[in-house]
Amino acid sequence: MTSTYAPDRTTLFGIYKRVALLKANDERSRKVIMTGRLVMPYYSYRGQEVIPAAMATALTDDDYWVTIYRGIHDMLAKGMPLNDLWAEIAGRVDGTCKGKGGPMHLTYPEKGIMVTTGIVGSSMPIANGIAWGSQLKGNNRVTVATFGDGATNIGAFHESLNLASVWKLPVIFLCQNNLYSEHTTYEKATAAKRVADRAAAYNMPGVRVNGNDPVEMYAAAREAVDRARAGDGPTLIEAMTFRFYGHVFGDADAYMDKGQKQAAMDADPVPLFRARLIAEGIATEAELVAIEAEIETRIDTAVEFALASAFPDLGELTRDVYAEGEVA
Amino acid sequence: MNATATNAKPVTILQAINSALADAMAEDETVLVLGEDVADPEEGGVVGVTKGLSTRFGDHRVRSTPISEQAIIGAAIGASLVGFRPVAEIMLMNFTTVAMDMIVNHAAKLRFMSGGQTHVPIVIRTMTGTGFASGGQHCDYLEAWFAHTAGMKVVAPSNPADAYGLMRAAILDPDPVLYIENLPSYWTPGEAPPTGFVVPLGKARVAKEGTDITIVSYSRVLTEVLGAVEAMEAAGVSAEVIDLRTISPWDKETVFASVAKTGRCLIAHEAVTQFGVGAEIAATLQAEFFGQLKAPVGRLGAPYAPVPFSKPLEAAYAPTAARIAEVAIALTKDH
Ligand SMILES: Cc1ncc(C[n+]2csc(CCOP(=O)(O)OP(=O)(O)O)c2C)c(N)n1
């Protein structure tokens, strides 16, 4: 790992703040569903927090992101406000999409969050187009597409990597390899030994990193961002990780290897990261406790804001199908 | 908007589309063109619809792509989300099937799912049409699939002026538009429209006035309908012909006005009849004119079969002038 891109102490602290927010938000989401206060399909990202936190830290607000159903961590990392997020996943009018997108279709262009898709493998072709736009405008913005390991077996993945490489697009393909696609293990579904190896076929760098290690993940992200900004084209990053709570919240996990799962949970990247900050003297226990408490308060506020927000009126049923005044 | 064509020199549909793209690109630098072989080193497409554009506007704005239909539509969608107006070519309509996820799940829905925060002003150009012995996989009309998808608009010109005007409108439109070109009629000549001529989306054209029956059609079959009208007149039947021009959203007002006058309607199109555009129009008319129609609304399309290769079978597949006249006359006589 090149030290050129290693995060300094402030950067590392910044990544942790994002990680702490993502972890707390996932825990709250599961709690709110379990207590019956909200009903929604929920794809827990618990265990994968370091990847988007490090990636987002390597980006600016102006950069773009296209993500998937398991992408709330990506969006929070990129700066989606908690109130808007919670109102949307509650299907309320104050949500980012007036409640019409829901957890699988969040959009927040203000922070570059352009598309969230529920279709496996579809984040990449659209990310290419956004990156093409940046290339045409010469505005130096980078686009990140996130997806899972399973998505790399979809045709769109291959079409997208090929086109991005031929056109030298400023795009980063960030695979969050949590070793499962739905209930199927990586080995059963993917012929390539490593997702990163697939980059070779498209003449672009393919790197596999420990996505749970903030230093390694940040370095890979920075290197890819710099490459994209310099006009050197796309990078495929395979960030290794593990999801703790099954595919969709409520699934029984019977298909998962219990030992593997236990080992992954024992190596939970969040407390490890937290301990590291203290060990390296980057933050004190008291500082972290204060940050975490503030996050809880912000989430409390967001949940209450969301539940107090109105449902969209029924006129929304046929609004936004076409531009206003252009109704079919 | 309804400026009549003033340019005396005839042009083909193919030239009209080329001019529309060129004029739109010259006026608005956010208009882009992409697709397989569309740039000039690749000869401006298989039949040359986009010829000259990359030489004139640069290969950054007119890009030949790999054979990657999902990547083509995805790139168009993404670029449109950040302020461009891409015109993406899918070489043949059957190949849209390979990009259906991008079209149906993304282009058509992003405005709605984002609560109006984003929108997808793209044009998807594609061509199709029987008559070239292409067989089952290269000449289907699939317009009903797209018309059925909320969020998509679908247009199909039948003459050069409309081809130009509908393309200009489609590029200006804030939502995704599927623009269907017809291979066998690319070289059909007609009056050239003036530069900037726009045919508003959703507005049909009364191609010929008549009193006994309304015939609604679009794309190449419209030409067959106009051919049928002569035979019908010989049989003493006067037909009013409506060129829909925009399939979705279709111009109910114009069709209703005509059917209110004639009391009869036949819808003719090249796609298979079952579950087709004709079914939608027929159902709407029966609801609107129940008790007032002089005959059941008729539909005439292709048989419920893939497009055949063998010449006589292929010739019997799409509605012809003779068949249209026969069905239309029967509708006026039997009831
Ligand atoms: C095209 C498509 N096929 C199937 C599905 C159903 N599905 C939803 S998530 C999923 C697994 C995807 O796994 P992966 O890409 O590894 O992402 P992860 O969920 O692990 O983050 C499947 C099969 C879908 N949404 N889209």
Side-chain angles (χ1 to χ4, degrees), chain A residues 68-70 118-120 148-151 154 178 180-182 247:
Chain A
I68 61 167
Y69 50 88
R70 195 186 314 284
I119 310 290
V120 171
D149 49 298
I154 289 233
N178 59 23
Y180 285 87
S181 33
E182 234 172 67
H247 172 59

Side-chain angles (χ1 to χ4, degrees), chain B:
Chain B
M1 297 287 251
N2 284 323
T4 24
T6 50
N7 197 333
K9 200 166 151 267
V11 295
T12 63
I13 288 181
L14 192 152
Q15 288 166 330
I17 299 168
N18 182 277
S19 308
L21 292 170
D23 292 352
M25 293 190 83
E27 278 174 30
D28 178 356
E29 62 180 23
T30 68
V31 177
L32 311 172
V33 166
L34 71 159
E36 290 154 26
D37 295 341
V38 298
D40 287 329
E42 291 75 43
E43 303 191 348
V46 280
V47 293
V49 175
T50 53
K51 222 184 195 85
L53 298 180
S54 74
T55 303
R56 185 165 163 202
F57 299 105
D59 57 12
H60 57 294
R61 286 181 66 194
V62 181
R63 287 211 178 168
S64 287
T65 64
I67 307 161
S68 304
E69 281 74 14
Q70 303 185 66
I72 293 168
I73 303 299
I77 293 171
S80 78
L81 291 177
V82 294
F84 290 89
R85 293 186 172 268
V87 181
E89 174 177 319
I90 296 296
M91 194 179 277
L92 289 174
M93 193 168 210
N94 286 80
F95 312 154
T96 59
T97 58
V98 178
M100 281 312 246
D101 167 47
M102 283 293 134
I103 302 172
V104 172
N105 291 321
H106 295 91
K109 290 184 188 152
L110 292 185
R111 179 189 286 279
F112 185 86
M113 295 196 309
S114 73
Q117 291 183 93
T118 60
H119 66 126
V120 181
I122 66 172
V123 180
I124 301 169
R125 281 188 45 239
T126 193
M127 57 204 108
T128 192
T130 60
F132 287 89
S134 312
Q137 295 178 339
H138 288 73
C139 44
D140 270 338
Y141 263 84
L142 305 173
E143 71 275 27
W145 295 12
F146 301 94
H148 189 66
T149 303
M152 285 300 300
K153 293 179 182 175
V154 183
V155 304
S158 71
N159 61 71
D162 282 359
Y164 181 96
L166 285 170
M167 177 58 79
R168 296 301 303 266
I171 293 172
L172 289 170
D173 197 85
D175 290 305
V177 180
L178 181 76
Y179 182 101
I180 305 169
E181 299 166 22
N182 187 274
L183 241 153
S185 45
Y186 265 140
W187 297 275
T188 303
E191 251 180 298
T195 302
F197 179 66
V198 170
V199 172
L201 300 190
K203 287 272 171 285
R205 177 177 69 99
V206 179
K208 191 207 150 283
E209 290 191 16
T211 52
D212 299 325
I213 183 167
T214 300
I215 307 183
V216 177
S217 191
Y218 48 87
S219 195
R220 184 180 55 136
V221 174
L222 199 275
T223 315
E224 299 292 329
V225 171
L226 292 174
V229 163
E230 285 172 38
M232 292 173 67
E233 261 156 20
V237 176
S238 159
E240 178 143 303
V241 180
I242 293 177
D243 182 352
L244 221 43
R245 305 201 284 200
T246 299
I247 296 166
S248 178
W250 63 283
D251 184 353
K252 294 192 181 80
E253 208 180 315
T254 300
V255 175
F256 285 1
S258 177
V259 174
K261 181 170 79 174
T262 63
R264 298 184 182 89
C265 186
L266 170 68
I267 304 115
H269 55 57
E270 189 163 324
V272 294
T273 307
Q274 285 196 48
F275 301 98
V277 170
E280 171 65 23
I281 297 174
T284 308
L285 290 175
Q286 326 257 37
E288 181 73 17
F289 291 95
F290 185 72
Q292 298 167 57
L293 290 167
K294 297 175 197 155
V297 177
R299 295 184 282 152
L300 182 58
Y304 200 52
V307 181
F309 165 72
S310 177
K311 201 67 198 162
L313 295 183
E314 190 192 33
Y317 187 78
T320 56
R323 183 97 186 97
I324 293 163
E326 187 187 325
V327 173
I329 291 168
L331 279 175
T332 60
K333 295 288 180 277
D334 294 354
H335 301 278

Side-chain angles (χ1 to χ4, degrees), chain A residues 80 96-97 105-109 113-116, chain B residues 113-114 117-118:
Chain A
M80 182 176 283
T96 52
C97 311
H105 307 296
L106 289 146
T107 302
Y108 196 72
I113 300 158
M114 302 309 290
V115 178
T116 299
Chain B
M113 295 196 309
S114 73
Q117 291 183 93
T118 60

Side-chain angles (χ1 to χ4, degrees), chain A:
Chain A
M1 185 52 57
T2 47
S3 58
T4 340
Y5 294 109
D8 59 26
R9 293 160 66 90
T10 321
T11 307
L12 206 55
F13 198 11
I15 298 173
Y16 181 76
K17 286 178 189 158
R18 285 182 153 106
V19 164
L21 170 68
L22 308 191
K23 173 175 178 281
N25 193 72
D26 179 83
E27 282 167 351
R28 184 67 66 88
S29 302
R30 285 181 282 116
K31 198 163 136 195
V32 170
I33 296 169
M34 293 229 278
T35 53
R37 297 187 79 197
L38 275 188
V39 178
M40 61 170 159
Y42 184 67
Y43 300 88
S44 169
Y45 51 79
R46 187 67 195 84
Q48 303 186 191
E49 293 92 338
V50 173
I51 301 168
M55 184 77 241
T57 305
L59 298 171
T60 70
D61 269 6
D62 283 344
D63 292 318
Y64 296 112
W65 201 305
V66 182
T67 187
I68 61 167
Y69 50 88
R70 195 186 314 284
I72 289 177
H73 55 337
D74 296 342
M75 290 171 267
L76 278 178
K78 188 70 178 69
M80 182 176 283
L82 278 169
N83 281 8
D84 306 52
L85 167 75
W86 274 90
E88 185 60 31
I89 64 183
R92 308 302 165 109
V93 73
D94 292 312
T96 52
C97 311
K98 297 188 278 186
K100 305 206 299 186
M104 273 200 262
H105 307 296
L106 289 146
T107 302
Y108 196 72
E110 235 173 275
K111 294 283 183 180
I113 300 158
M114 302 309 290
V115 178
T116 299
T117 177
I119 310 290
V120 171
S122 292
S123 56
M124 297 160 265
I126 297 175
N128 271 351
I130 295 170
W132 180 31
S134 298
Q135 185 186 62
L136 287 165
K137 291 180 182 169
N139 65 13
N140 251 348
R141 293 185 179 183
V142 171
T143 302
V144 174
T146 41
F147 49 92
D149 49 298
T152 71
N153 296 321
I154 289 233
F157 167 86
H158 300 276
E159 290 193 14
S160 300
L161 265 68
N162 184 62
L163 187 85
S165 184
V166 171
W167 288 11
K168 269 197 179 309
L169 295 176
V171 60
I172 297 167
F173 299 108
L174 175 56
C175 174
Q176 307 193 19
N177 185 349
N178 59 23
L179 305 179
Y180 285 87
S181 33
E182 234 172 67
H183 303 184
T184 304
T185 60
Y186 178 86
E187 295 74 23
K188 257 198 195 169
T190 309
K193 283 238 155 40
R194 299 149 19 115
V195 166
D197 292 344
R198 294 187 144 160
Y202 304 108
N203 194 23
M204 74 173 72
V207 290
R208 174 186 256 196
V209 295
N210 177 358
N212 291 350
D213 181 315
V215 175
E216 224 184 283
M217 185 58 220
Y218 178 79
R222 270 295 308 278
E223 196 167 349
V225 169
D226 285 7
R227 253 180 64 74
R229 285 210 214 287
D232 293 334
T235 302
L236 171 63
I237 300 174
E238 178 186 16
M240 302 308 295
T241 187
F242 198 83
R243 41 149 239 233
F244 292 171
Y245 293 103
H247 172 59
V248 63
F249 187 58
D251 94 20
D253 287 8
Y255 54 89
M256 291 178 96
D257 180 294
K258 295 291 165 283
Q260 179 196 41
K261 186 177 162 179
Q262 195 52 55
M265 289 179 93
D266 290 345
D268 188 335
V270 184
L272 284 180
F273 191 178
R274 193 179 190 283
R276 181 175 186 164
L277 289 182
I278 295 171
E280 292 181 13
I282 294 171
T284 64
E285 173 68 26
E287 274 176 297
L288 296 177
V289 167
I291 286 168
E292 288 150 6
E294 194 221 313
I295 288 171
E296 291 299 337
T297 311
R298 283 172 54 209
I299 299 176
D300 288 342
T301 309
V303 174
E304 297 318 318
F305 171 81
L307 293 174
S309 170
F311 285 107
D313 68 59
L314 291 184
E316 288 296 337
L317 214 45
T318 50
R319 196 167 297 138
D320 302 322
V321 177
Y322 299 97
E324 206 72 34
E326 304 261 346
V327 193

